[in-house]
Amino acid sequence: MEYVLQTNAVKKDYGNYKALNGLTMHVPKGSIYGFIGKNGAGKTTLIRLVCGLQQPTDGEMEIYGIGHKDRGIFKARRRMGAVVENPSVYLDMTAQENLKEQYRILGMPSFSGIDELLKLVGLEDTGKKKAKNFSLGMRQRLGIAVALAGNPDFLILDEPVNGLDPQGIVEIRELILKLNREKGITVLVSSHILDELSKLATHFGFIDKGKIIKEMNASALEAACRKCIKITVTDTKILSGVLDEAGAEYSVLSDTQAEIYGEIEITELALKLNARRCRIQKITEHNETLESFYINLVGGER
């Protein structure tokens, strides 16, 4: 498999604080790689290293097969675009003026392609409206347009939906999918909004305390996310006793609700509960969420 980005045991220290502690990851070409971790896990630090804003304390990093210490790394990074933390836009400029300025910075020979780029991110009708008057979602899309100005084939987005309203989140999601499917751009997108990443990513990397604790593709994640039965009964204490006798895995949500994992014979369960004067009021089946999978993975609490 061809990888756009690979890291091997990368470390980044700030004094005695280890922001990254031996991080190893692989971003396949053509993927949407969901970089998942809670705030402070090391996501933004890794992104800053990949973009060349800082250097690793130790370890190896390759972009398009070129090591971060090689002279060719500067040329490799020209194939990247990134929005790190907040979109870098000039608030007193229009969308078109922002892109023209980025074209000048990159030394682009002409402004051709700007109108097409604005249309791609859905900002073709903003006219003379200045970026300071844009919604947060519009600024985020403008930031992505600026990142795309050099025609990159690898795009890095750090928390792109943070603070957006539901409509803005949908717009960014659809834009990322469009860039990946129609333009063939590999996307590394970090987020702590796990449900949103589950609708986007083809591959996942879970980071905790500066290390990747698991990498997997979407199919493997879907298989790993266990199915469970959410059950409502008159008394979960009685339910717990029956499930303990059966050796079933479960979690109690309240005095009347619980989740049961794995296969279980419903008829047999109902008979045993009825014998102890506990009634089943409701049963629904659903899959474990990406959020609960991550929490179980890092050993956290609900």
Side-chain angles (χ1 to χ4, degrees):
M1 183 177 290
E2 185 178 354
Y3 297 108
V4 169
L5 169 67
Q6 294 185 82
T7 71
N8 182 31
V10 166
K11 296 182 179 181
K12 181 60 181 178
D13 300 339
Y14 298 101
N16 293 325
Y17 175 65
K18 296 185 182 297
L20 297 178
N21 190 22
L23 184 145
T24 298
M25 70 186 297
H26 311 80
V27 179
K29 182 179 180 181
S31 68
I32 299 177
Y33 188 101
F35 195 28
I36 298 174
K38 57 189 176 183
N39 292 335
K43 301 189 302 295
T44 299
T45 299
L46 186 278
I47 287 172
R48 293 178 69 84
L49 298 186
V50 174
C51 293
L53 301 175
Q54 294 178 341
Q55 292 299 313
T57 304
D58 197 9
E60 299 296 326
M61 182 171 60
E62 291 185 357
I63 302 170
Y64 297 106
I66 299 173
H68 73 277
K69 296 178 183 178
D70 296 345
R71 293 181 64 182
I73 194 65
F74 299 104
K75 188 174 182 181
R77 285 196 173 108
R78 295 277 292 189
R79 299 174 62 183
M80 292 170 41
V83 181
V84 184
E85 296 180 295
N86 295 302
S88 299
V89 299
Y90 298 101
L91 297 179
D92 286 323
M93 290 185 179
T94 66
Q96 188 173 73
E97 289 168 346
N98 266 279
L99 286 177
K100 285 182 177 180
E101 188 62 28
Q102 183 67 8
Y103 269 48
R104 293 188 187 100
I105 291 170
L106 294 175
M108 303 282 279
S110 74
F111 295 141
S112 64
I114 285 182
D115 290 341
E116 182 183 348
L117 194 48
L118 288 173
K119 186 176 181 180
L120 178 65
V121 299
L123 295 175
E124 70 272 25
D125 296 326
T126 53
K128 296 183 179 180
K129 187 175 183 178
K130 296 186 184 299
K132 63 183 178 184
N133 298 317
F134 284 8
S135 68
L136 194 58
M138 291 172 67
R139 287 186 197 176
Q140 192 67 262
R141 283 184 279 135
L142 177 56
I144 293 174
V146 170
L148 293 171
N151 294 318
D153 44 25
F154 181 29
L155 181 64
I156 298 175
L157 302 175
D158 186 18
E159 302 281 2
V161 300
N162 202 19
L164 299 187
D165 60 24
Q167 180 60 34
I169 290 174
V170 170
E171 290 172 353
I172 295 299
R173 181 207 309 158
E174 290 179 348
L175 175 58
I176 292 172
L177 289 170
K178 185 175 183 180
L179 293 173
N180 177 255
R181 293 171 180 174
E182 297 182 13
K183 302 292 184 179
I185 296 174
T186 303
V187 184
L188 169 63
V189 53
S190 80
S191 183
H192 62 277
I193 305 177
L194 307 189
D195 181 59
E196 186 57 33
L197 276 185
S198 68
K199 300 171 185 175
L200 271 176
T202 61
H203 294 74
F204 296 88
F206 298 89
I207 181 173
D208 187 49
K209 298 177 182 178
K211 298 179 76 172
I212 292 287
I213 52 177
K214 195 169 191 64
E215 284 187 307
M216 59 203 312
N217 61 31
S219 298
L221 179 62
E222 185 178 348
C225 283
R226 300 169 296 175
K227 286 186 176 181
C228 76
I229 294 170
K230 190 170 185 178
I231 185 168
T232 303
V233 296
T234 52
D235 189 341
T236 49
K237 288 183 180 179
I238 296 174
L239 174 66
S240 296
V242 172
L243 293 175
D244 285 339
E245 290 174 4
E249 185 182 355
Y250 66 95
S251 60
V252 175
L253 306 179
S254 70
D255 291 340
T256 58
Q257 287 189 327
E259 288 182 346
I260 306 171
Y261 301 100
E263 297 292 331
I264 191 161
E265 177 54 56
I266 298 297
T267 303
E268 184 179 345
L269 176 64
L271 289 172
K272 288 182 177 180
L273 289 175
N274 187 60
R276 301 187 189 189
R277 296 184 179 179
C278 178
R279 291 183 293 105
I280 296 176
Q281 297 175 324
K282 186 179 180 182
I283 293 178
T284 56
E285 185 180 70
H286 64 95
N287 292 335
E288 183 179 28
T289 64
L290 179 57
E291 182 176 4
S292 59
F293 177 82
Y294 172 72
I295 290 171
N296 289 329
L297 196 61
V298 301
E301 298 179 354
R302 284 185 182 274

